[in-house]
Amino acid sequence: MTLRLFLLITVFSLAFSSLSAESSDSDRVSELLALQSHSKSGVIHLDDRSVSHFLISAKTPRPYSLLVFFDATQLHDKSELQLKTLHAEFSLLAKSFITNNQDPDSSSHGKLFFCDIEFKESQSSFGLFGVNSLPHIRLIGPNQTPKQSDQMDQGDFSKLAESMSQFVESKTNLVVGPIHRPPFLSKKQLALVVVGILIWIPFAVKKIVMGETLLHDPKLWLAGSVFVYFFSVSGAMHNIIRKMPMFLADRNDPNKLVFFYQGSGMQLGAEGFAVGFLYTIVGLLLAFVTRVLVKVKNVNVQRAVMIVSLFVSFWAVNKVVYLDNWKTGYGIHGFWPSSWK
């Protein structure tokens, strides 16, 4: 009889302790959900006491995971750390996760919470996680202690919220969902822009009819034409597509810069711009001679300017030919007409 009573008491004790543990876990989830709902960004601010409450004193496995952003407000002015930008992207990730999993029936609802810890307020927590440099983000899974948690590497937040989302999904079985970035303009700003455009349209129509817009200015078209010509002949598109540098450091002398690379397999940005500049000089001189110089009445001025233009054009073309020969080894030779021989 005594043995039966002992076994009965033991079963009731185990059942009661299990129920109390489940109740404690559900209470913590409810607390986290309440804190999350009161945060505008969806990020829960933790301190040493709350870290102890939600991580240390909570029995494993916990029914939730925590993604923790370690912050230091005194380092926000350090542009190389980008703490403010990363924290904004972290908040965007939190908002997106909450929006995508706000349905209580969702398998990810209440399973992941986004938190931040500030250094001055919670130095003990920084020591608990072994954080000695920033930026630093940790994912603490249901079965992990702070020391065992997964650290987010530099590459995991190089693409900001999107790469953070990939890290979370790779370390857990949870689905973050799409990142909901705010529009470039708010509804109020967009409405002001529309009103401004509507007010500006009558004045714009009047200017167009009278021919007083920038598009009616021949100088603008001249400058645009020169730019397009230079952009075309300088290989600028090649530099953009291939991401070519403007110059390189000399292998033999690191303090010396190389602007012209000998070899047909590579072209630096500087040499492309140099050739483009020479081509542009010849093109502008040709345009000047055919469109402006012919209107000058003084014949001697025409001859003098023509001689200078021919000399400069010959020099520019000669430099281009020399550079091509030096770079590729191909030579360009002139030939007299056979009838002149």
Side-chain angles (χ1 to χ4, degrees):
M1 186 68 179
T2 305
L3 180 59
R4 289 181 180 179
L5 181 61
F6 175 75
L7 291 175
L8 187 61
I9 293 173
T10 303
V11 170
F12 275 111
S13 300
L14 292 173
F16 179 77
S17 62
S18 177
L19 287 173
S20 62
E22 291 180 3
S23 176
S24 178
D25 288 338
S26 62
D27 289 343
R28 286 189 174 88
V29 172
S30 299
E31 287 182 58
L32 288 169
L33 287 172
L35 292 172
Q36 177 181 276
S37 64
H38 286 87
S39 172
K40 292 182 179 180
S41 63
V43 178
I44 302 170
H45 184 67
L46 300 180
D47 54 20
D48 291 337
R49 184 195 63 79
S50 52
V51 167
S52 175
H53 175 64
F54 291 115
L55 286 176
I56 308 304
S57 60
K59 295 182 179 180
T60 55
R62 295 177 292 272
Y64 53 83
S65 299
L66 298 181
L67 187 67
V68 181
F69 184 94
F70 292 86
D71 196 10
T73 54
Q74 69 269 26
L75 298 179
H76 280 187
D77 58 340
K78 301 289 185 181
S79 58
E80 64 273 14
L81 296 179
Q82 295 186 325
L83 288 178
K84 294 178 70 175
T85 301
L86 291 174
H87 193 277
E89 292 293 315
F90 186 81
S91 301
L92 180 62
L93 176 66
K95 286 182 180 179
S96 300
F97 177 83
I98 295 169
T99 301
N100 297 331
N101 299 279
Q102 57 186 348
D103 186 359
D105 296 331
S106 172
S107 59
S108 300
H109 179 74
K111 299 295 185 181
L112 176 64
F113 296 95
F114 298 81
C115 312
D116 62 6
I117 301 177
E118 209 284 319
F119 176 71
K120 283 187 177 180
E121 299 176 355
S122 311
Q123 296 187 24
S124 298
S125 297
F126 271 67
L128 179 67
F129 283 90
V131 178
N132 50 27
S133 64
L134 296 177
H136 197 102
I137 301 176
R138 285 285 185 93
L139 176 65
I140 306 96
N143 295 296
Q144 291 179 321
T145 63
K147 291 288 187 181
Q148 297 171 339
S149 56
D150 296 309
Q151 179 182 347
M152 191 179 292
D153 296 329
Q154 184 75 28
D156 295 322
F157 48 76
S158 60
K159 296 181 180 178
L160 306 179
E162 284 74 13
S163 56
M164 293 182 190
S165 172
Q166 293 175 4
F167 171 81
V168 171
E169 291 181 346
S170 67
K171 295 296 183 180
T172 66
N173 294 322
L174 306 176
V175 177
V176 176
I179 303 298
H180 303 284
R181 292 191 175 276
F184 181 74
L185 294 175
S186 65
K187 292 182 179 180
K188 292 183 178 180
Q189 292 173 331
L190 186 60
L192 289 174
V193 170
V194 171
V195 171
I197 291 175
L198 293 175
I199 295 173
W200 173 77
I201 285 177
F203 298 97
V205 172
K206 181 181 177 181
K207 290 285 187 181
I208 293 172
V209 172
M210 297 179 64
E212 296 178 353
T213 65
L214 286 175
L215 296 178
H216 292 84
D217 188 354
K219 295 179 182 178
L220 177 65
W221 288 100
L222 175 61
S225 301
V226 173
F227 173 76
V228 171
Y229 180 79
F230 176 80
F231 189 86
S232 302
V233 299
S234 65
M237 186 57 68
H238 169 272
N239 297 335
I240 294 173
I241 295 175
R242 300 290 183 87
K243 297 181 179 180
M244 299 304 297
M246 291 296 294
F247 50 82
L248 295 173
D250 194 337
R251 295 180 179 179
N252 300 323
D253 186 3
N255 296 322
K256 184 180 178 181
L257 299 178
V258 176
F259 294 94
F260 293 87
Y261 184 85
Q262 189 171 15
S264 59
M266 181 178 178
Q267 174 181 301
L268 297 176
E271 60 183 288
F273 285 155
V275 173
F277 176 72
L278 294 173
Y279 273 128
T280 304
I281 289 177
V282 176
L284 289 175
L285 287 175
L286 179 62
F288 178 79
V289 168
T290 57
R291 303 295 296 181
V292 179
L293 189 60
V294 292
K295 296 180 180 180
V296 178
K297 296 181 179 180
N298 192 317
V299 178
N300 293 327
V301 173
Q302 283 186 337
R303 291 173 178 172
V305 174
M306 179 63 73
I307 292 172
V308 173
S309 299
L310 289 174
F311 175 79
V312 174
S313 299
F314 179 81
W315 171 82
V317 173
N318 184 61
K319 289 296 182 183
V320 173
V321 172
Y322 170 77
L323 178 61
D324 180 72
N325 177 258
W326 172 81
K327 187 174 180 63
T328 64
Y330 292 103
I332 299 177
H333 305 282
F335 295 91
W336 295 106
S338 56
S339 61
W340 290 13
K341 295 183 179 178

